[in-house]
Amino acid sequence: METTELYPPFTVGVDLGGTNTAFAIVDSVGHIVATDSIPTRTPTVEKWADNLASRISRMIADNRLEGLVKGIGIGAPCANASTGCIEAATNLPWPSPIALVNMMESRTGLRTVISNDANAAAIGEMTYGAAAGLKNFIVLTLGTSVGGGIVCDGHLLSGRSGFAGELGHVTFPFASDRLCSCGRYGCLHTIGSADGIRETARRMLAESDEPSVLRDIPQKEMTPKKIQIAARDGDRLANLIYEFTGRCLGKAAAEFAAVTDPEAFILFGGVSKAGDLLLKPMREAFLEYALFLYKDRVRFLLSKLRDADAAILGAASLPLSI
Amino acid sequence: METTELYPPFTVGVDLGGTNTAFAIVDSVGHIVATDSIPTRTPTVEKWADNLASRISRMIADNRLEGLVKGIGIGAPCANASTGCIEAATNLPWPSPIALVNMMESRTGLRTVISNDANAAAIGEMTYGAAAGLKNFIVLTLGTSVGGGIVCDGHLLSGRSGFAGELGHVTFPFASDRLCSCGRYGCLHTIGSADGIRETARRMLAESDEPSVLRDIPQKEMTPKKIQIAARDGDRLANLIYEFTGRCLGKAAAEFAAVTDPEAFILFGGVSKAGDLLLKPMREAFLEYALFLYKDRVRFLLSKLRDADAAILGAASLPLSI
């Protein structure tokens, strides 16, 4: 860190995952000053909050940043920005709802803002990443689940209960034969998530006799990354898997464009590491399917948040913007 | 008007239609103080603007409201709020783009705001109508065309080029065999517009032998209103036409809910006059198809803007809110 100039104000970004809680002090342009983590699996949420609050306070003191930290941002599944609570998060070990904002503000004296992962990613891209300067864009997070963060006219859309941008649960005919974890058929989640890609691979391998290095990988061990490596090595089926996925995302983007008129779609998360393997068919399908008003006006970008820190940076950006 | 108490400030609402331009002075709670209209079909747009500006000034003077009028709002097809221009309006007699805001501001000295019909309807509902007090809702205009006006977190969504909320051009599997005027298949417009209802009637009459009073109406003379009258008189096929339409709208609303998390959908325009014939199946289909997060939280309402004045009231509300 010695050679990096830092720009106040600082914020603390917290990525609350099912297993670990990672956090960092971040400056206003996205430099990470210090990082730490604690286990999420503690007997009670109060214990976890006590631990997190004391570690954050110590980290601020160790870096001599007392009085210079503007707030804490927490990205978590099912976090409702308007109530300050986590509602019905199935991957956390504590009963819901969890009044996270109150718990952290009372323990640290720092203003705390929470948001779901995809919305945090959208604010992160706008603050430090690929959406710098953009006022109308949609972030699609393609990972364990598919989420959306929509910025329209410079505002992150929250909606009545903080559930705007659930783009993983918009349904499409191209997925009408895929059952989603939400109990419905056709959700974009069933195509663009890691499980979705895995299922596409399973189907394509079953429907064809074509040789593929993917045939040597047991279904349980199939990952987006392995398919990406195979595709880059020229494996035709692996390429077709991403082409199918990209085209589905492009058709979906054509519909989303008519709702909020964005200037860009930004892909975030593990599945998006396929890069052009995904962006090229996405762009092509968008041009085929979008209403004329939106054609040729929309860009398709990859997240510019550094891989390992993306979730923390998204969270850290929240107190700067909300 | 003698018995109505009026509440300043006043605005002028202009409904720019293909044939006539209707306008009125409106008070801040939606009382109409005076109305007038001029023909739209003049040789040049400058002549039309001269005429409109002088008639508005005279109307303001006649009602002794000089200095009390806050601005002019104009609702028009393809009006782009961010540029102040009408872009590519096929139903107007003049070449596009038309720099409407500049033309009216220079002639009247009054701040002028334009918006497309559906967005004006949304602001109108929020200012004087069914959405009073709501911060998250979607207006669906069901008339000659299908449009959308989306208010999220208290803001009317505009988007990069003012083309947010083009919900009539989101596509759905239930309309995949219907060609839209935009050149694509499956648009909600092909179901929810007057032409869409007419086409549904044609298909249902052709596919069944059931007696119906609608069989006596030539296809060219079929209107949403005639089908509404037949349905209220107990005609089964007429009821099925609105049930099908309402269910399609409910499925569409289930998808839109996941994008902006609204607390209400408000139906506006001629087709919506079917009232419960449309709202009941819409609500039922929404409950069947929506993600659990949105179920039981969304209301389905009819416009409360008075029929004859709805477009003018929508336009008049623009200077109060934008």
Side-chain angles (χ1 to χ4, degrees):
Chain A
M1 297 307 304
E2 295 79 10
T3 57
T4 306
E5 193 172 351
L6 297 175
Y7 298 87
F10 299 87
T11 56
V12 176
V14 180
D15 174 24
L16 172 48
T19 309
N20 278 299
T21 302
F23 51 102
I25 299 176
V26 179
D27 80 354
S28 65
V29 296
H31 294 129
I32 292 191
V33 180
T35 62
D36 199 355
S37 79
I38 60 171
T40 301
R41 307 227 152 248
T42 50
T44 68
V45 66
E46 285 78 15
K47 285 254 182 220
W48 168 85
D50 289 343
N51 193 11
L52 179 63
S54 76
R55 295 281 279 269
I56 286 174
S57 299
R58 193 188 312 162
M59 193 162 68
I60 292 171
D62 287 350
N63 288 277
R64 303 187 180 179
L65 293 174
E66 293 98 333
L68 296 174
V69 173
K70 197 175 169 182
I72 299 174
I74 306 178
C78 294
N80 184 334
S82 50
T83 63
C85 293
I86 294 182
E87 296 173 4
T90 51
N91 70 335
L92 294 177
W94 316 300
S96 298
I98 302 162
L100 197 54
V101 165
N102 279 350
M103 293 174 68
M104 291 308 294
E105 289 190 340
S106 63
R107 281 167 173 81
T108 63
L110 289 169
R111 179 171 170 261
T112 301
V113 182
I114 66 174
S115 188
N116 74 46
D117 314 49
N119 286 348
I123 297 285
E125 295 294 346
M126 191 158 59
T127 310
Y128 321 114
L134 299 188
K135 290 193 174 304
N136 291 281
F137 65 93
I138 295 177
V139 169
L140 287 172
T141 61
L142 309 173
T144 308
S145 65
V146 171
I150 305 173
V151 171
C152 186
D153 306 329
H155 300 282
L156 177 72
L157 300 190
S158 178
R160 182 207 192 159
S161 304
F163 295 131
E166 284 288 348
L167 303 183
H169 294 288
V170 176
T171 72
F172 292 93
F174 52 68
S176 60
D177 60 349
R178 297 194 183 202
L179 179 62
C180 184
S181 54
C182 75
R184 304 177 313 146
Y185 282 86
C187 291
L188 189 59
H189 171 83
T190 66
I191 297 286
S193 63
D195 276 347
I197 298 270
R198 195 175 290 123
E199 173 63 11
T200 301
R202 190 191 65 74
R203 292 182 183 206
M204 286 200 172
L205 289 166
E207 285 161 12
S208 139
D209 289 331
E210 195 169 329
S212 166
V213 298
L214 300 179
R215 296 195 187 279
D216 301 333
I217 303 171
Q219 172 69 5
K220 279 188 181 172
E221 294 169 24
M222 188 72 78
T223 63
K225 190 164 184 183
K226 287 176 183 167
I227 304 169
Q228 286 161 25
I229 292 168
R232 294 219 171 82
D233 284 349
D235 189 274
R236 192 168 160 271
L237 265 178
N239 273 284
L240 288 177
I241 291 165
Y242 271 102
E243 187 181 325
F244 170 80
T245 308
R247 284 189 60 80
C248 290
L249 291 172
K251 292 177 195 176
E255 307 297 350
F256 299 152
V259 184
T260 66
D261 187 15
E263 55 202 299
F265 286 87
I266 299 169
L267 303 186
F268 181 102
V271 173
S272 76
K273 301 299 169 207
D276 272 343
L277 296 176
L278 203 59
L279 285 181
K280 192 165 168 287
M282 184 177 181
R283 193 183 294 117
E284 285 170 2
F286 180 85
L287 288 173
E288 276 174 53
Y289 286 89
L291 182 66
F292 68 95
L293 287 173
Y294 311 106
K295 275 191 213 287
D296 302 322
R297 306 173 77 137
V298 175
R299 288 183 293 157
F300 296 86
L301 307 170
L302 296 175
S303 167
K304 280 191 185 162
L305 299 184
R306 279 185 311 275
D307 225 31
D309 310 321
I312 285 178
L313 286 172
S317 68
L318 295 171
L320 299 174
S321 305
I322 294 185
Chain B
M1 297 306 303
E2 294 77 9
T3 57
T4 307
E5 195 172 350
L6 297 175
Y7 298 88
F10 299 87
T11 56
V12 176
V14 180
D15 174 26
L16 172 48
T19 309
N20 278 299
T21 302
F23 51 102
I25 300 175
V26 179
D27 81 354
S28 65
V29 297
H31 294 129
I32 292 192
V33 180
T35 62
D36 198 355
S37 79
I38 60 171
T40 300
R41 306 225 156 250
T42 50
T44 68
V45 66
E46 285 78 15
K47 285 254 183 218
W48 169 86
D50 289 342
N51 192 13
L52 178 63
S54 75
R55 294 280 280 269
I56 286 174
S57 299
R58 194 188 313 161
M59 193 162 68
I60 292 171
D62 287 350
N63 288 278
R64 302 187 180 176
L65 294 174
E66 294 98 334
L68 296 173
V69 173
K70 198 176 170 183
I72 299 174
I74 305 178
C78 294
N80 183 333
S82 50
T83 63
C85 293
I86 294 182
E87 296 172 4
T90 50
N91 71 335
L92 295 178
W94 317 300
S96 296
I98 302 163
L100 197 53
V101 165
N102 279 351
M103 292 175 68
M104 291 308 295
E105 289 190 340
S106 64
R107 282 166 173 80
T108 63
L110 289 170
R111 178 169 170 261
T112 301
V113 181
I114 66 174
S115 187
N116 74 46
D117 314 48
N119 286 348
I123 297 286
E125 295 294 348
M126 191 159 57
T127 311
Y128 322 114
L134 300 187
K135 290 193 174 305
N136 291 282
F137 65 93
I138 295 177
V139 169
L140 287 172
T141 62
L142 309 173
T144 308
S145 64
V146 171
I150 305 173
V151 171
C152 187
D153 306 329
H155 300 282
L156 177 72
L157 300 190
S158 178
R160 184 211 190 153
S161 305
F163 295 130
E166 283 289 347
L167 303 182
H169 294 288
V170 176
T171 72
F172 292 94
F174 52 68
S176 61
D177 60 349
R178 297 193 183 203
L179 178 62
C180 184
S181 55
C182 75
R184 305 176 313 146
Y185 283 86
C187 292
L188 189 59
H189 172 82
T190 67
I191 297 286
S193 62
D195 276 347
I197 297 271
R198 196 176 288 122
E199 173 64 11
T200 301
R202 190 192 66 74
R203 292 183 183 205
M204 286 200 171
L205 289 167
E207 284 161 13
S208 138
D209 289 331
E210 193 168 332
S212 166
V213 297
L214 300 179
R215 296 195 188 279
D216 302 333
I217 303 171
Q219 171 70 5
K220 279 188 182 172
E221 294 169 23
M222 188 72 78
T223 63
K225 191 165 184 183
K226 287 176 184 169
I227 304 170
Q228 286 161 26
I229 292 168
R232 294 219 171 82
D233 283 349
D235 189 275
R236 190 165 162 272
L237 265 178
N239 273 284
L240 289 177
I241 291 166
Y242 272 103
E243 187 181 324
F244 170 81
T245 307
R247 284 188 62 80
C248 290
L249 291 172
K251 292 177 195 175
E255 308 297 350
F256 299 151
V259 185
T260 66
D261 187 15
E263 55 203 297
F265 286 87
I266 299 169
L267 303 187
F268 181 101
V271 173
S272 75
K273 302 298 169 205
D276 272 344
L277 296 176
L278 203 59
L279 285 181
K280 192 166 169 287
M282 184 177 180
R283 193 182 295 117
E284 285 169 2
F286 180 86
L287 288 174
E288 277 175 52
Y289 285 90
L291 182 67
F292 68 94
L293 287 173
Y294 310 106
K295 275 192 214 286
D296 302 321
R297 306 172 76 136
V298 175
R299 288 183 293 157
F300 296 87
L301 308 171
L302 296 175
S303 167
K304 281 193 184 160
L305 299 185
R306 280 185 310 276
D307 224 30
D309 311 321
I312 286 178
L313 286 172
S317 68
L318 295 171
L320 299 174
S321 305
I322 295 184

